Amino acid sequence: MKQANKYLPAILLFLALLLGAFFRFYKLGQTPLGLYVDEASLGYNAYSVFKTDMDEYGKWLPVMFRSFSTFQSPVYSYLLIPIIHFLDLSVFSVRLPSALFGFLSLPLLYLLVRQLSPRTNHLALVTTFLLAISPWHINYSRTAYEANVALFFLLLGSPFIMSALKKSWLFLPAALSFVISMMAYRAEIIIVPVLLVVFVLRYSPVIFSELKHHLTPILVSLVLAFVIFLPTLQIIGTPGFQARSAALNIFAASGKNVWGYQEGKGLVHDLTNNPQILAFKEFLSLYGSYLSPRYMFSLGDSGPRLPYPGLGTFFVWQFPLYLIGLYFLFKERHLKDLTFYVFTLLLASPIPAALTRDPYSTLRSLPLVIPQILIISFGLIKLWEILPSISSKLKLSLITLLVIFSSVRMFISIFYFNDYFNSKFWNYGWELVVKEIPGLNPQLPIVVDSSRGDSYILMMFFLKYDPALYQRENFEVSAADYYTSLNRSDTKKLGNITVKSIVWGPDTDAVEQYLVADYLAMSEVQIKDHNLSIIKEIPFPDGKVALRILKTNPKYK
């Protein structure tokens, strides 16, 4: 019996990793059903660099990748290049880095918690298990989001910097990990410096007591981080880098655009309606939502692609554990390293998300999943300890039932409900459109409607369109203006395919050609009025029409 108990933690850790791997890799290229345009952009630009050393706009090895009207962080696309080399361009290959780094975050978190709190029995194991079945973390591990890669490197730097207090040369891998995290996603540009400042303040006695021992590794680490981050610093003031933050930053708004602005005149009105004061009030309101149990366990993220149907950010049964964990983390003073890390990350993670107008964005606050999972896990450990009258077997059985119930419910939500109800938000159907193109008359041009999104990137992705040919056919911005000009072309040429907004009359009645459009662009009434022939209808999983391939008939109009 003692021998069995000896190996039980290792068995449970293996099961946690196995469960985590299943939810992150199973049907990765098929679920979510479809491909979001940001994923397609990450993938195709990596494909373009792999083929030509330039992105779709003809920019040689960009520091940041131009993506529609904004820019994407470079780390994810560059990670994709060797994967595309071996696996080719596909939905699976584009999502693979996120799934891989999401899975690797599990053993990494286990090691970090063991380091932060080695005397708290099984906390590392419980935390790893709960992250393995976290809907929040699984969601971003199954889709190509840069934030998930950034979180991994944030976690990777954490044990390094904690260990560097005893082995100073570990400041080097810590610096490398943190700077990659900052380059991988913009939220970490705020979170990492906050974490480091608090780290220096917290451990300053240790650092300065052995300053001669630590000074050289710290200086070398800072120089290394600066050199790696320098290309980003050189473009940080450009319109391209600031495009997304300028559009979303609550402090960038002015006048009547600020939340809470009221009409009026006079000194009191001018003071109470000061844009910066109103923006700060909005920031505090948004910041509070990320720490609110109401959002964590009930409302969740309002984005159409982010929550799984019927699931919140956390499971409802974890709510009392969260409260218990908070209480005991405040009460038990001996957990200094753990408490420091948990509350620093807990309070720092919502800052970049709260600076934007989007309410409760789980994407921009993804690092928040770590301290909140840690608090819930600590609450479970303490609840186990304060219920001594119940046998360990019964407590373990109850926890096992909760995990099984949550896992089954999540499986159904991810692999059935999400595809059935949310496929329209994932641009389902474009891969099937591309498969129909070889069967069309090659003598006729094809016009693909782009009035409701950047469908050109989906066409290029699934066609695996030659990047060199695309760069010759389409000019949008010069290399010199790559980070400064935000001008866009409304029309894209892909051989005999033109991607643009369809114009009723000239495109539907005057020329014999194929039209590709979604269910909103081409209704049954419009098809009949313009004498269009339906070549192919591609339905959503619920049977409603997603996309149509039509043929014009100008001779019979």
Side-chain angles (χ1 to χ4, degrees):
M1 189 65 181
K2 290 183 178 180
Q3 191 74 5
N5 289 336
K6 178 182 176 181
Y7 293 107
L8 183 60
I11 294 171
L12 291 176
L13 178 61
F14 175 76
L15 289 176
L17 296 177
L18 191 64
L19 195 59
F22 172 79
F23 276 118
R24 285 157 182 80
F25 291 103
Y26 177 64
K27 297 181 70 174
L28 181 63
Q30 303 167 49
T31 301
L33 198 59
L35 187 71
Y36 188 47
V37 289
D38 285 354
E39 295 181 290
S41 179
L42 287 167
Y44 186 80
N45 277 291
Y47 179 72
S48 181
V49 172
F50 170 62
K51 293 288 188 180
T52 68
D53 294 333
M54 296 181 287
D55 74 345
E56 63 175 281
Y57 299 93
K59 176 67 173 178
W60 182 78
L61 300 180
V63 176
M64 295 195 75
F65 283 85
R66 191 183 183 99
S67 177
F68 318 125
S69 298
T70 58
F71 282 74
Q72 292 174 325
S73 300
V75 174
Y76 199 102
S77 287
Y78 284 119
L79 285 171
L80 275 172
I81 292 174
I83 293 175
I84 289 173
H85 172 71
F86 290 106
L87 300 180
D88 204 2
L89 181 64
S90 67
V91 176
F92 175 80
S93 64
V94 167
R95 291 174 176 170
L96 183 58
S98 189
L100 183 61
F101 283 103
F103 170 74
L104 291 176
S105 295
L106 301 177
L108 188 56
L109 181 62
Y110 178 83
L111 295 174
L112 174 61
V113 178
R114 283 285 300 269
Q115 183 182 31
L116 292 172
S117 183
R119 296 180 182 179
T120 306
N121 292 333
H122 308 313
L123 178 60
L125 176 60
V126 173
T127 305
T128 305
F129 220 113
L130 293 187
L131 187 65
I133 61 169
S134 164
W136 186 356
H137 194 254
I138 290 170
N139 199 334
Y140 291 109
S141 296
R142 294 191 59 85
T143 46
Y145 282 107
E146 309 107 297
N148 206 38
V149 175
L151 175 59
F152 169 82
F153 283 101
L154 177 64
L155 285 174
L156 183 62
S158 299
F160 279 135
I161 199 166
M162 296 297 292
S163 300
L165 295 172
K166 296 180 179 178
K167 298 178 180 179
S168 56
W169 64 270
L170 290 175
F171 279 116
L172 286 168
L176 182 61
S177 300
F178 284 137
V179 78
I180 293 174
S181 178
M182 292 169 66
M183 294 173 64
Y185 192 63
R186 296 190 194 187
E188 271 68 10
I189 294 178
I190 296 175
I191 295 171
V192 168
V194 171
L195 188 63
L196 292 178
V197 168
V198 177
F199 171 83
V200 172
L201 294 175
R202 166 73 176 82
Y203 297 103
S204 56
V206 179
I207 296 172
F208 289 107
S209 65
E210 300 183 25
L211 188 58
K212 290 182 180 180
H213 182 65
H214 292 312
L215 185 59
T216 300
I218 289 175
L219 290 177
V220 173
S221 300
L222 290 174
V223 171
L224 173 67
F226 177 77
V227 170
I228 295 173
F229 200 63
L230 183 59
T232 302
L233 287 174
Q234 291 176 324
I235 65 166
I236 207 166
T238 62
F241 186 91
Q242 296 185 4
R244 182 167 296 185
S245 58
L248 294 173
N249 190 344
I250 58 175
F251 288 97
S254 61
K256 299 179 182 179
N257 294 322
V258 181
W259 173 82
Y261 181 87
Q262 296 179 354
E263 296 285 353
K265 295 180 180 180
L267 179 61
V268 175
H269 168 269
D270 292 342
L271 290 174
T272 57
N273 286 273
N274 180 281
Q276 297 306 312
I277 293 176
L278 291 175
F280 185 68
K281 289 171 64 178
E282 184 179 4
F283 167 79
L284 292 178
S285 176
L286 291 168
Y287 182 90
S289 69
Y290 292 94
L291 305 177
S292 167
R294 183 165 175 255
Y295 279 92
M296 292 172 59
F297 302 100
S298 178
L299 297 179
D301 197 316
S302 60
R305 287 175 300 278
L306 305 181
Y308 290 124
L311 296 177
T313 310
F314 294 97
F315 298 111
V316 176
W317 57 266
Q318 294 175 334
F319 173 53
L321 302 178
Y322 184 72
L323 297 180
I324 295 170
L326 278 174
Y327 172 76
F328 281 101
L329 273 175
F330 276 114
K331 183 181 178 182
E332 300 192 4
R333 303 285 183 177
H334 64 281
L335 300 170
K336 294 180 179 180
D337 289 341
L338 179 66
T339 303
F340 151 74
Y341 188 82
V342 166
F343 284 107
T344 301
L345 203 54
L346 181 73
L347 298 176
S349 296
I351 295 174
L355 289 171
T356 69
R357 292 185 177 87
D358 295 338
Y360 196 73
S361 169
T362 52
L363 173 62
R364 297 188 181 97
S365 63
L366 184 57
L368 191 60
V369 70
I370 301 303
Q372 290 182 335
I373 279 286
L374 267 165
I375 293 169
I376 291 168
S377 303
F378 192 67
L380 181 58
I381 294 292
K382 300 312 293 184
L383 182 63
W384 182 288
E385 293 176 357
I386 63 179
L387 294 176
S389 58
I390 303 177
S391 70
S392 296
K393 288 185 178 180
L394 179 57
K395 287 186 283 189
L396 185 60
S397 299
L398 289 173
I399 294 171
T400 302
L401 286 174
L402 281 173
V403 170
I404 293 174
F405 171 76
S406 301
S407 299
V408 170
R409 187 182 174 200
M410 190 161 53
F411 177 86
I412 295 171
S413 180
I414 294 173
F415 300 107
Y416 292 95
F417 290 164
N418 192 50
D419 286 345
Y420 186 84
F421 292 110
N422 292 342
S423 58
K424 62 182 177 181
F425 302 119
W426 290 95
N427 303 307
Y428 172 74
W430 289 100
E431 186 173 9
L432 299 178
V433 165
V434 167
K435 289 181 179 179
E436 293 293 326
I437 288 177
L440 303 179
N441 185 347
Q443 303 301 316
L444 297 181
I446 302 171
V447 176
V448 177
D449 182 59
S450 63
S451 58
R452 261 175 303 282
D454 291 285
S455 51
Y456 84 94
I457 196 69
L458 297 166
M459 293 294 294
M460 289 204 299
F461 183 96
F462 290 116
L463 284 167
K464 298 178 187 175
Y465 196 72
D466 183 2
L469 183 58
Y470 176 80
Q471 293 161 16
R472 290 196 298 270
E473 292 175 332
N474 299 270
F475 175 80
E476 196 154 333
V477 64
S478 67
D481 297 327
Y482 185 84
Y483 300 108
T484 56
S485 174
L486 300 181
N487 294 331
R488 297 192 65 197
S489 172
D490 295 329
T491 302
K492 311 285 186 180
K493 292 290 294 181
L494 311 176
N496 73 326
I497 301 173
T498 303
V499 184
K500 67 184 191 69
S501 294
I502 290 176
V503 180
W504 291 97
D507 290 327
T508 58
D509 304 334
V511 182
E512 186 177 9
Q513 60 187 358
Y514 294 105
L515 305 176
V516 180
D518 63 20
Y519 62 102
L520 292 174
M522 295 284 181
S523 68
E524 287 83 355
V525 174
Q526 292 167 324
I527 291 171
K528 183 178 181 181
D529 289 346
H530 291 267
N531 196 31
L532 304 175
S533 301
I534 298 176
I535 304 300
K536 181 73 175 181
E537 285 188 338
I538 297 169
F540 288 119
D542 63 3
K544 296 178 181 177
V545 175
L547 296 163
R548 288 189 175 100
I549 301 176
L550 307 160
K551 182 179 172 296
T552 62
N553 298 289
K555 294 180 181 180
Y556 304 101
K557 178 63 181 170

